[in-house]
Amino acid sequence: MAELKLSESRDLTRIERIGAHSHIRGLGLDSSLEPRAVSEGMVGQTTARKAAGVILQMIKEGKIAGRAVLLAGQPGTGKTAIAMGMAKSLGLETPFAMIAGSELFSLEMSKTEALMQAFRKAIGVRIKEETEIIEGEVVEVQIDRPAVAGAASKTGKLTLKTTDMETVYDLGAKMIEALGKEKVQSGDVIAIDKASGKITKLGRSFSRSRDYDAMGPQTKFVQCPDGELQKRKEVVHCVTLHEIDVINSRTQGFLALFTGDTGEIRAEVREQIDTKVAEWREEGKAEIVPGVLFIDEVHMLDIECFSFLNRALENDMAPILVVATNRGITTIRGTNYKSPHGIPIDLLDRLLIISTQPYTEDEIRKILDIRTQEEDVEMSEEAKRLLTTIGVETSLRYSIHLITAAALACQKRKGKVVEMEDINRVYHLFLDVKRSTQYLMEYQNQYMFNELGDAEEDDSNAMNP
């Protein structure tokens, strides 16, 4: 008899890639903004994290706009990590836009337009409106499916109750589909928007908390609503100014958000939107939420972009700007002048500068511990010690790269725990910058365009006139 083959089924909900900063959950500060030694994926950099916490508090208050902060430090000292920590700590309500300085030059629009769009992405508008909703606990959902497919549409009944009343609603095909999508079952507390028919699951009722159903850790229990089933409620939507710009600048309306390339947005459109938002603010219908715009590799911007930033920061509708750079005294792009961090002095004067320090050996060890957990690699103590030594001698990034490579080497020899021999093996397979430079020095004559050799010959010619 032929063997039955079951098709392999996979859960598609958790496809998460491990990134360079995927282990960061926040800034790791306590309630009085004091940094904890190791917390939320952050290690060390206590002064920089404390300063970032103060900035974060300013952002949460929402009173201040147009401030700018510079994160400056050597490569691999956690500048982007601090920015990611700030983004995670802000929550979903506050907009956070992130761009790299080099991105502006690869877009099919002018640099200033790309910067303007980035600025508008980082400013949120909280719009309040009153809607009628039906809110209650689901007693039961009855759906009658027709016996013959396609003969008639599904019909059904939904019984909702509050602490005071209970009502049965007849369901149409659209509502049945919406209930199915949200996986609504008896015992759930739901809210139905009467205008749009949108169903929101608020949580499970407390009366069902003793049920022995399979429940995930994220199941939220709420009280059964009281009073009438139909209520008038104030709903708050949070959108960014850029989204409003896009919707108003394209003929297809809100579908423009999904078509990708928005192109340049005319200044008149923006002016009209700003006027309208100002009106809403006066009437108390909307409030502005200044978010954060993070520009990494800010030294890649040129003098025109810096002039634009100078001007844009003075606007009332400006977000808090956080920029990061790892350059020392270098040329400002588009000029022949040198300046600290490659940023013009007049813009530097507006920046609050937070500097990051190189990690100590102990901190490198803690970071490697966090990364081995994040990358799901089991490693022996000796191997971790060796990896820490490599991190101190070469760079933190190089030692982090070796974690997964060593895990693969360990897998190849059918081991369970990464040992020193695996680290040793990948250390010899992949060169770090120092060894690569040394190799280049030794064999430079065999490479093309050998600059060093020419320079040495010039020196020797100069010495022998």
Side-chain angles (χ1 to χ4, degrees), residues 107-322:
L107 297 168
E108 293 171 4
M109 58 176 92
S110 68
K111 293 170 289 192
T112 47
E113 172 66 21
L115 267 175
M116 191 68 191
Q117 288 194 11
F119 260 79
R120 308 274 287 188
K121 275 178 195 164
I123 304 164
V125 184
R126 210 180 269 130
I127 302 166
K128 300 181 190 125
E129 59 178 9
E130 271 202 356
T131 54
E132 279 207 356
I133 61 162
I134 299 166
E135 194 176 68
E137 181 188 327
V138 179
V139 179
E140 68 168 331
V141 186
Q142 278 182 322
I143 295 168
D144 307 322
R145 289 174 177 78
V148 185
S153 59
K154 297 174 191 169
T155 54
K157 284 185 168 61
L158 171 70
T159 314
L160 284 180
K161 70 162 187 180
T162 62
T163 49
D164 303 351
M165 60 188 290
E166 189 171 311
T167 313
V168 179
Y169 292 98
D170 286 330
L171 299 173
K174 267 192 175 174
M175 285 301 283
I176 290 172
E177 198 180 313
L179 286 166
K181 251 187 200 164
E182 288 293 323
K183 297 187 175 66
V184 171
Q185 55 195 41
S186 54
D188 287 342
V189 176
I190 62 168
I192 305 169
D193 188 336
K194 278 187 79 175
S196 63
K198 184 172 177 278
I199 295 172
T200 314
K201 222 177 186 182
L202 303 175
R204 293 280 293 165
S205 171
F206 268 119
S207 58
R208 302 292 183 117
S209 61
R210 299 299 296 272
D211 283 4
Y212 298 104
D213 296 342
M215 278 179 219
Q218 65 276 22
T219 307
K220 200 166 97 182
F221 286 103
V222 291
Q223 292 287 359
C224 177
D226 52 1
E228 294 279 321
L229 269 163
Q230 291 199 29
K231 297 184 180 86
R232 285 190 74 77
K233 215 172 190 187
E234 198 175 69
V235 181
V236 178
H237 306 287
C238 214
V239 287
T240 66
L241 278 179
H242 177 66
E243 284 166 357
I244 304 174
D245 291 347
V246 172
I247 290 166
N248 287 288
S249 68
R250 300 303 283 284
T251 46
Q252 70 261 49
F254 80 96
L255 289 174
L257 288 172
F258 307 108
T259 55
D261 183 30
T262 55
E264 300 218 359
I265 294 165
R266 296 196 319 279
E268 305 90 81
V269 174
R270 288 206 172 107
E271 278 169 25
Q272 286 170 355
I273 288 164
D274 288 351
T275 315
K276 195 73 191 160
V277 169
E279 271 176 38
W280 288 344
R281 278 173 76 185
E282 291 293 319
E283 292 164 15
K285 277 188 194 170
E287 57 179 297
I288 297 288
V289 186
V292 179
L293 171 60
F294 176 62
I295 305 178
D296 209 350
E297 300 171 357
V298 73
H299 52 263
M300 290 299 292
L301 301 184
D302 61 10
I303 193 74
E304 293 160 28
C305 295
F306 287 128
S307 316
F308 176 85
L309 285 180
N310 257 337
R311 178 69 200 84
L313 281 173
E314 288 173 356
N315 198 335
D316 304 341
M317 305 264 263
I320 288 187
L321 179 69
V322 179

